[in-house]
Amino acid sequence: MRPIASLFRLCAAAAALALAGCASMGAGRDDSQWAATAPVLPEAAPVANGAIYHDAGNMELFADPRAHRVGDILTIVLQESTQASKKATTSTSKKDKTAIDAPTLLGQAATLNGLPASIGLNGNRGFAGDGSSSQSNQLSGQITVTVAQRLSNGNLVVRGEKWLTINQGQEMVRISGIVRPQDINPDNSVSSSRVADARIAYTGRGSLADANTQGWLSRFFNSKWMPF
């Protein structure tokens, strides 16, 4: 009965891990939080018609075309490239040597069973460690987002996503952050390096994504919870 009980506990733990893994894959699902933000409709003002200009025509001769209101569209140019590396080497060594001569009695060295009663200690200790780590990533492209909020200092909270379906898979890019109006170019674009508190996610789902993902049982045996 013990092997059966152990197998049951193992299967239960693996199932719990699988559910946790499925919950962590929610980034690739549709989320209304990332939907485009609609502009705020102002209160209707009294219509003031003139001989030439009609207020309902909404003709803006001197308006700034760059995004500055909630619901406006802004293009973010993805220019992400980072590289980090680290290497550490440690080496220590220590040697100890102690010698105690045999005591003398009436000018003669003391002996024990005909052997000198001297004591000698020798010790060697050493340690050597070496480690290295490197990581790099690169992301380029463009994604058009909407202004979700205008802060009191004039900065713009932007958020948006892009879905691309190819054959049997879907690729998704999401980005959110804060943009200063003065960093927006005349063509209504801004570099991703100018986005504060940027949250950029690039992921996918479908047949190709599933083929590159470990199964729940493999993730369990490769997790830190395995005792061996």
Side-chain angles (χ1 to χ4, degrees), residues 40-70:
V40 178
L41 297 177
E43 297 181 359
V47 179
N49 297 325
I52 300 178
Y53 174 73
H54 194 278
D55 188 43
N58 194 24
M59 182 173 59
E60 299 180 353
L61 299 178
F62 306 100
D64 190 351
R66 292 177 295 185
H68 61 281
R69 298 169 300 187
V70 174

Side-chain angles (χ1 to χ4, degrees), residues 85-102:
S85 61
K86 182 179 180 180
K87 184 177 182 180
T89 302
T90 304
S91 178
T92 61
S93 178
K94 185 176 182 180
K95 296 182 179 181
D96 295 328
K97 184 176 182 181
T98 303
I100 302 176
D101 295 335

Side-chain angles (χ1 to χ4, degrees), residues 134-211:
S134 62
Q135 184 175 357
S136 62
N137 68 79
Q138 185 174 359
L139 181 64
S140 60
Q142 293 183 351
I143 177 173
T144 300
V145 299
T146 57
V147 178
Q149 182 182 359
R150 182 182 176 91
L151 303 179
S152 59
N153 59 358
N155 292 340
L156 307 176
V157 178
V158 298
R159 181 172 60 242
E161 63 180 358
K162 177 189 290 186
W163 284 88
L164 181 64
T165 302
I166 302 177
N167 199 1
Q168 299 181 10
Q170 289 182 323
E171 301 293 327
M172 181 203 69
V173 181
R174 283 176 174 172
I175 184 172
S176 66
I178 303 175
V179 176
R180 297 192 311 168
Q182 53 267 41
D183 291 333
I184 302 177
N185 299 321
D187 61 349
N188 199 37
S189 65
V190 62
S191 173
S192 61
S193 61
R194 295 288 185 178
V195 180
D197 193 25
R199 307 292 178 90
I200 304 175
Y202 179 64
T203 183
R205 66 182 182 182
S207 300
L208 295 179
D210 294 340

